[in-house]
Amino acid sequence: MSTIDYDKLYIGGEWRAPAGSARIDVRAAATEEIIGSVPEGAEGDIDAAVDAARRAFDGPDAWGSWEPARRQEALHRFADELEKRAGETAARVAQQNGMPIVVAEQFESAFPPLLLRYYSQLVVDQGEERRPGMLGGSSVIRREPIGVVGAIVPWNVPQGITFLKLAPALASGCTVVLKPAPETVLDAFLMAEAALAAGLPEGVLNVVPGGRELGAYLVEHPGVDKVSFTGSTAAGRAIAETCGRLLRPVTLELGGKSAAIVLDDADLLGNIESFFASTLLNNGQICWLGTRVLAPQSRYDEVVDTISGLASNLVIGDPLERTTQIGPLVSQRQRERVESYIAKGSSDGGRLTAGGGRPADRDRGWFVQPTVFADVDPNHTIAQEEIFGPVLAVIPYRDEEEAVRIANDTDYGLGGSVWTADPERGEAFARKVRTGTIGLNHYVNDPTAPFGGIKSSGMGRELGPEGLVAFQNLKTIYLPPAAAN
């Protein structure tokens, strides 16, 4: 079996020898075999990348000084090059983290070019704003790029999340140092190949993979003007503390324990595909999934049977197979984490109604069966902590008031969904749930609407015009009355 191996890092618009000799071996989630390797970044590589990004931002013909239409042309070329590599990108992601290929084609191949085109057009349309003053003059409001961005992304949706940051940052005129997760680096290097082929200016985008220590070094680097991080709440708190001390702007998209609230008139079977996508997509490895299912006592057994039937009949298999609905988890460590939560769910008194173990026909790969627990108390560990695997906890409620209380009784507030035959009732219920985002009979991150969390799910927003503002500084120019005329 041939492997995908890189010997250099993408820094300053070229492939450059790394500062150290350490390497990252990448294993296929379905076979546990090594499928590639890349150099592991060191502090010296971060220094070089930040220096390159700084030169691209501050130097002659600086990226941020380009007219928006000129940047748009470059980003459209980048989008075109990504699309040429769409199939390979999806396959690399699927092999690395177990994402089913059909999902990878949407999230990892189609979404990034769409975001590049969306944000570059937003900047072209944005322009300056002139406001008449109350004291005789007027003001010019400018939106200027914030500077060098340190972007840190996780392994679960690596390219989709990368471009939640890259697309608005680059479109606004920022330059970026990207640190991908060690588990998913092969797709990041393919993305760098696309950037090089597109002719992005030197230093506008730099890719340095590594672990937590390298990420911490990037966050506190004196040459970084803004940090954008997606990952665990624990890591996010540490990053927030560093950025607070440095007075450095930061966007944090962190963990979730979202509620999927089934109202008593819901047609769950009629919406079963959307329900699956809102609760178990990507093998449960998405932060906004509704892993707490709230079901009315009047229909509790029916809802449990429906969800258990769904979980039991999902196709588990090779993520590269188009029929696969549930692939493996990203690593042995992640599988052990999920299995520890399954054991905890049983010991706390949850009733296992589907799954609970490893597929009998899979002797290799980090697979876990889609698992459903019934009779879960809202205070049980599996109802409060993020598991990040295909495990659902079904919690009964008596009435809508109790459902709202249970839905809001969590440290998190990222996603959620409401399931009902009455859209007006569902929207009214959704307004009562304390969360950053929530869907009605489905859940989809639309590029035009802000995405992010409250409470321990983070701060700041990505997507929509709000995701662009996060990479811009506002500058006001006060004009005197004479100039105003």
Side-chain angles (χ1 to χ4, degrees):
M1 173 180 171
S2 60
T3 59
I4 303 169
D5 299 298
Y6 291 84
D7 295 323
K8 296 180 180 180
L9 300 173
Y10 183 67
I11 297 174
E14 64 180 5
W15 294 103
R16 184 179 301 185
S21 59
R23 296 189 62 81
I24 297 171
D25 289 331
V26 182
R27 294 185 179 273
T31 66
E32 306 177 33
E33 296 175 344
I34 293 177
I35 57 172
S37 67
V38 304
E40 182 175 4
E43 291 182 359
D45 298 309
I46 292 291
D47 292 338
V50 172
D51 287 346
R54 177 57 60 192
R55 289 194 302 272
F57 186 75
D58 288 336
D61 197 28
W63 175 251
S65 70
W66 286 22
E67 288 297 319
R70 185 183 175 195
R71 282 201 303 272
Q72 183 182 46
E73 291 176 1
L75 295 181
H76 276 208
R77 292 196 304 271
F78 191 14
D80 293 342
E81 293 295 335
L82 289 172
E83 287 175 337
K84 292 177 184 178
R85 295 160 176 79
E88 179 65 15
T89 297
R92 289 191 185 189
V93 172
Q95 287 181 284
Q96 291 172 112
N97 70 3
M99 179 184 290
I101 190 68
V102 174
V103 179
E105 289 171 347
Q106 299 173 37
F107 285 12
E108 304 295 86
S109 297
F111 204 48
L114 182 153
L115 290 179
L116 284 171
R117 296 184 176 114
Y118 169 69
Y119 276 110
S120 60
Q121 186 62 48
L122 270 188
V123 174
V124 167
D125 294 340
Q126 197 171 54
E128 293 183 348
E129 179 185 355
R130 290 180 177 264
R131 297 180 189 173
M134 298 178 65
L135 304 176
S138 65
S139 299
V140 176
I141 315 301
R142 288 179 50 81
R143 292 168 176 83
E144 300 181 346
I146 206 165
V148 174
V149 175
I152 302 174
V153 300
W155 48 259
N156 61 320
V157 189
Q159 286 301 295
I161 293 174
T162 289
F163 280 87
L164 292 182
K165 306 173 190 313
L166 278 194
L170 297 181
S172 69
C174 295
T175 58
V176 178
V177 177
L178 173 71
K179 191 205 78 66
E183 294 86 352
T184 47
V185 290
L186 300 181
D187 56 289
F189 277 60
L190 186 63
M191 182 269 293
E193 292 177 12
L196 184 60
L200 287 189
E202 297 177 3
V204 166
L205 173 61
N206 310 270
V207 181
V208 184
R212 293 180 180 180
E213 294 80 8
L214 194 69
Y217 185 76
L218 175 61
V219 167
E220 63 187 14
H221 198 286
V224 169
D225 299 305
K226 152 90 181 184
V227 173
S228 183
F229 171 79
T230 298
S232 72
T233 296
R237 291 186 193 280
I239 290 171
E241 289 178 3
T242 299
C243 290
R245 173 171 48 82
L246 296 172
L247 296 180
R248 180 166 295 167
V250 60
T251 299
L252 301 171
E253 196 271 281
L254 308 177
K257 192 65 182 178
S258 304
I261 306 108
V262 181
L263 300 186
D264 56 16
D265 64 346
D267 178 14
L268 212 54
L269 278 175
N271 289 285
I272 201 65
E273 290 186 9
S274 292
F275 187 82
F276 163 71
S278 301
T279 56
L280 289 167
L281 194 69
N282 193 24
N283 321 324
Q285 297 179 139
I286 298 181
C287 50
W288 47 254
L289 290 174
T291 54
R292 292 184 299 146
V293 181
L294 278 54
Q297 285 185 341
S298 60
R299 297 181 57 189
Y300 187 75
D301 291 341
E302 174 196 346
V303 170
V304 169
D305 289 345
T306 299
I307 297 172
S308 301
L310 167 67
S312 298
N313 288 291
L314 292 171
V315 178
I316 304 172
D318 186 334
L320 294 177
E321 294 290 337
R322 301 195 67 80
T323 56
T324 293
Q325 295 169 293
I326 297 289
L329 300 182
V330 69
S331 65
Q332 178 178 336
R333 177 183 177 184
Q334 185 63 18
R335 180 170 67 176
E336 290 173 352
R337 169 187 167 88
V338 171
E339 289 177 333
S340 72
Y341 275 107
I342 292 173
K344 181 64 173 173
S346 293
S347 66
D348 282 349
R351 175 166 56 93
L352 195 64
T353 62
R358 303 177 183 180
D361 60 343
R362 296 281 164 179
D363 58 355
R364 290 192 305 169
W366 298 302
F367 291 89
V368 172
Q369 294 172 321
T371 298
V372 178
F373 281 99
D375 303 337
V376 177
D377 185 274
N379 294 315
H380 283 175
T381 299
I382 62 169
Q384 288 292 324
E385 296 184 10
E386 185 176 41
I387 298 173
F388 228 62
V391 181
L392 302 181
V394 189
I395 303 168
Y397 68 86
R398 291 184 298 272
D399 53 32
E400 287 193 18
E401 182 179 351
E402 184 179 34
V404 170
R405 181 183 62 77
I406 295 173
N408 291 337
D409 185 18
T410 173
D411 291 336
Y412 299 102
L414 183 59
S417 55
V418 182
W419 304 84
T420 176
D422 184 344
E424 291 185 4
R425 181 188 180 194
E427 184 175 345
F429 189 97
R431 294 176 185 273
K432 301 175 185 177
V433 181
R434 296 194 65 231
T435 186
T437 62
I438 190 166
L440 182 57
N441 292 330
H442 82 310
Y443 185 95
V444 175
N445 297 136
D446 192 286
T448 65
F451 166 73
I454 61 174
K455 300 190 281 187
S456 292
S457 289
M459 58 187 188
R461 291 295 181 267
E462 296 177 312
L463 294 176
E466 295 80 2
L468 180 64
V469 172
F471 295 96
Q472 296 175 322
N473 284 324
L474 290 175
K475 176 190 286 184
T476 299
I477 304 174
Y478 299 117
L479 301 179
N485 294 328

